[in-house]
Amino acid sequence: MSTAHPATTSPRVAVVTGAGLAVPGLTLPDELLGTVRDGGFDPVTGLVGRDLRHKDRASRLALRAAAPALRDAGLLDGDGYTGPGDTTAVVVSTNVGILENVCSFADTIARDTVLGLSPLGLPQTSSNVIAGSVAMAHGLRGPNVTLCNGPTSGLDALYWARALIVTGRAETAVVIGVEPAGDIVTKLLGTPALDGAVALVLESAAGAAERGATVRATVAGCARAADLAGAVARAGGLTPDLWLTEAAGDPAGPRAHAVLDPAAGLGAASGALGLLQAAAAVAHLDEHGRHTVLATCGGPEDDGVAAVFLTGPHHTP
């Protein structure tokens, strides 16, 4: 991601109209901010059903997050997706989503040669199988993109979804961050991993207004830079009321009324981190419609830092 999308007065503005989670123990995005409810998503019972047959774990998690996000946006009913399928994009962020699949196939080849492979499982070795599964399930025929971009991947996905909308390539985008857990993933990361997914629905502001959708947040600015200060400045340099980050102690960080890591305690979130932050931002802006929230991912040990500003529906520039 080499070009910034700072805060803009462009007539095409990307807004968030829906959010959904498939994270163990959680139901709604406000639980990322500390709200406590009983129950919540259970992968044991939530990842079964005819619609998930023959699908890899990451795709199943993504589908279970996308459906409530689309329903929250008012774009899903009993008859299926009600939005413009031809102009709805799917953008997925995952770094280890197909790792277990690839390793399983490699083990099969080593043991039985290629004759032991099942053609039903081959699509699961493609990183884009997740985005493809969501698109096919809901009839979404717009741009279809998967990012596997390290720690900044989730916010990079928001960047590209916003770009698709602002440039007119799409009217709506389903943006998903998903990482499945497993023994191989834990061994690679060296720590227990998130076993879940989060989804946001982005639309053009004009499209959302035309169908009377509730705007939850505006994606006001996105950027990626070599360091935190540069990313924040390139994204628009707004003054945040809340900063969602893993880097709370970074002296280059902006002054904010509150700092929070919404993914703390969920396991290594990797490519889902930025979308978890964005979902938490939406929940905050539901209660504080005039606020500005900053989400940042990445740090000095990574190849860059990504920053996204989200503003509430009643925010005054």
Side-chain angles (χ1 to χ4, degrees):
M1 186 166 65
S2 59
T3 305
H5 288 308
T8 178
T9 57
S10 166
R12 290 189 63 86
V13 175
V15 298
V16 181
T17 56
L21 299 178
V23 175
L26 303 185
T27 304
L28 297 173
D30 61 351
E31 292 168 83
L32 294 167
L33 299 173
T35 299
V36 178
R37 294 186 181 87
D38 293 330
F41 179 73
D42 180 359
V44 175
T45 58
L47 295 182
V48 296
R50 291 185 61 185
D51 59 323
L52 302 183
R53 196 178 296 175
H54 304 305
K55 288 183 170 55
D56 63 291
R57 190 174 188 84
S59 293
R60 286 183 281 154
L61 286 165
L63 285 163
R64 287 298 183 255
L70 289 168
R71 197 173 297 116
D72 188 39
L75 289 169
L76 191 65
D77 62 19
D79 296 323
Y81 183 63
T82 61
D86 288 339
T87 56
T88 299
V90 180
V91 184
V92 168
S93 166
T94 184
N95 289 321
V96 296
I98 63 165
L99 179 63
E100 298 265 351
N101 311 336
V102 172
C103 290
S104 175
F105 266 65
D107 289 343
T108 299
I109 293 172
R111 185 182 63 248
D112 304 323
T113 76
V114 294
L115 297 177
L117 297 178
S118 167
L120 289 176
L122 279 173
Q124 299 174 12
T125 61
S126 166
S127 60
N128 207 52
V129 66
I130 306 166
S133 294
V134 173
M136 288 186 288
H138 298 290
L140 313 180
R141 297 176 293 276
N144 193 278
V145 182
T146 296
L147 281 76
C148 308
N149 204 36
T152 65
S153 187
L155 294 184
D156 292 344
L158 276 178
Y159 173 102
W160 287 111
R162 180 180 187 249
L164 288 170
I165 290 171
V166 169
T167 59
R169 291 291 306 278
E171 287 297 325
T172 307
V174 182
V175 194
I176 302 168
V178 56
E179 296 293 9
D183 293 340
I184 295 175
V185 172
T186 300
K187 183 177 180 179
L188 174 70
L189 299 179
T191 184
L194 171 75
D195 188 33
V198 55
L200 295 182
V201 176
L202 269 61
E203 299 183 60
S204 68
E210 183 177 347
R211 68 181 189 88
T214 299
V215 172
R216 313 279 291 283
T218 298
V219 185
C222 307
R224 195 173 190 273
D227 55 34
L228 176 61
V232 171
R234 293 184 70 194
L238 305 179
T239 301
D241 298 281
L242 174 64
W243 180 23
L244 302 173
T245 181
E246 290 184 306
D250 194 322
R255 292 187 177 183
H257 178 71
V259 182
L260 177 68
D261 178 7
L266 296 179
S270 193
L273 175 60
L275 273 303
L276 286 167
Q277 293 174 339
V282 170
H284 176 84
L285 295 170
D286 282 343
E287 297 295 324
H288 306 281
R290 297 184 183 278
H291 279 192
T292 297
V293 179
L294 169 65
T296 63
C297 292
E301 69 282 4
D302 305 311
D303 67 346
V305 177
V308 172
F309 282 104
L310 297 105
T311 57
H314 308 301
H315 172 76
T316 301

